[in-house]
Amino acid sequence: MKKIISIVLSFLLCNVLHAATEQKTIRFGTEATYPPFEYVDESGKIRGFDVDIAMALCKEMQVQCEFQNQAFNSLIQGLKLGKFDAVIASIGITEERKKQVAFTQSYYEPSGSFVALVAKHYSLKDLEGKTVGVQVSSTLEKYLQDKYHGKVKIKTYASIQEAFLDLVAGRVDMVLADTPIAKAWLKQNNNTEYSIVDQPIIDHEYFGTGLGIAVNQKNAELLKALDAALTRIKENGTYSKISQEYFGK
């Protein structure tokens, strides 16, 4: 019986993938200054976990992928204006964002981490009075505003890499970033002088139920096709392979 159900589900998913993808190319908007999720390599090509996930989805859907690099705080507006078909840029699925765009199922559970100088011996209890750098229009910025309003000075940046530059320059005391981004920055710079403060923070109220691919609310066909393809790559092992490449087991 289970085998029959599996075959039926697979058949239905295939139908959704083929019927809902008449377009030959999917234009993805992203913000490629967020390694390991998305970044520009030495050859100028956009790469990263999100890019590999999108490429795997396009392969399942038998379409081509295109990626457009744009500032994070303009991605949703660009999607609504039709500049691209979907956005994959480490975007947390939140109720506030769902008022503007539609989301696929989650493809990654986000968490946030504070990064600071080891020599400062900071803990999360030491945030009051500190200057914290964070990416503008991110769920992490909203988390800081709501949880620490009046207690910390929040300095926002168009890109999280700019925040890390200010951390090194001593213009902020800490940076709050998605945990994989924080770990990638520490690893990339072989940074023994800096570390994650205490433990990563998981808060579904602010960071959402996971990261999702955003689609225009009017494009129900594309949403269904992306969701079906996501289900397929999770089932056939492709997702696990990509995840292990970037984040380990």
Side-chain angles (χ1 to χ4, degrees), residues 5 30 62 68 74 82 102 135 163 177 192 194 198 202 213 227 231:
I5 292 173
T30 192
Q62 299 181 10
Q68 299 179 30
S74 65
Q135 186 168 30
T192 55
Y194 298 85
D198 291 346
I202 295 175
I213 301 171
D227 253 333
T231 297

Side-chain angles (χ1 to χ4, degrees), residues 101-154:
V101 296
F103 280 102
T104 62
Q105 62 183 277
S106 170
Y107 66 89
Y108 190 87
E109 181 178 55
S111 67
S113 288
F114 288 91
V115 177
L117 275 168
V118 174
K120 295 290 187 178
H121 302 291
Y122 288 142
S123 74
L124 295 180
K125 297 178 182 179
D126 302 319
L127 284 174
E128 191 165 350
K130 303 298 186 295
T131 300
V132 181
V134 68
Q135 186 168 30
V136 69
S137 299
S138 66
T139 52
L140 296 170
E141 181 193 1
K142 181 169 177 53
Y143 174 85
L144 281 178
Q145 289 174 340
D146 289 357
K147 295 284 188 178
Y148 296 98
H149 179 70
K151 296 179 181 179
V152 302
K153 180 179 179 182
I154 302 170

Side-chain angles (χ1 to χ4, degrees), residues 158-177:
S159 132
I160 197 64
Q161 300 306 317
E162 294 174 9
F164 281 123
L165 288 173
D166 266 9
L167 177 65
V168 174
R171 287 187 281 267
V172 296
D173 300 301
M174 301 181 190
V175 167
L176 178 59

Side-chain angles (χ1 to χ4, degrees), residues 57-69:
L57 298 180
C58 286
K59 184 177 180 180
E60 287 289 335
M61 297 161 66
Q62 299 181 10
V63 297
Q64 297 297 312
C65 278
E66 286 183 2
F67 298 93
Q68 299 179 30
N69 192 7

Side-chain angles (χ1 to χ4, degrees), residues 20 49 62 73 77 165 184 231 244:
F49 173 73
Q62 299 181 10
N73 62 353
Q77 186 61 24
L165 288 173
T231 297
Q244 287 178 22

Side-chain angles (χ1 to χ4, degrees), residues 196-216:
I196 289 174
V197 178
D198 291 346
Q199 298 297 317
I201 304 160
I202 295 175
D203 193 321
H204 290 161
E205 180 184 354
Y206 287 92
F207 307 157
T209 54
L211 303 183
I213 301 171
V215 176
N216 192 297

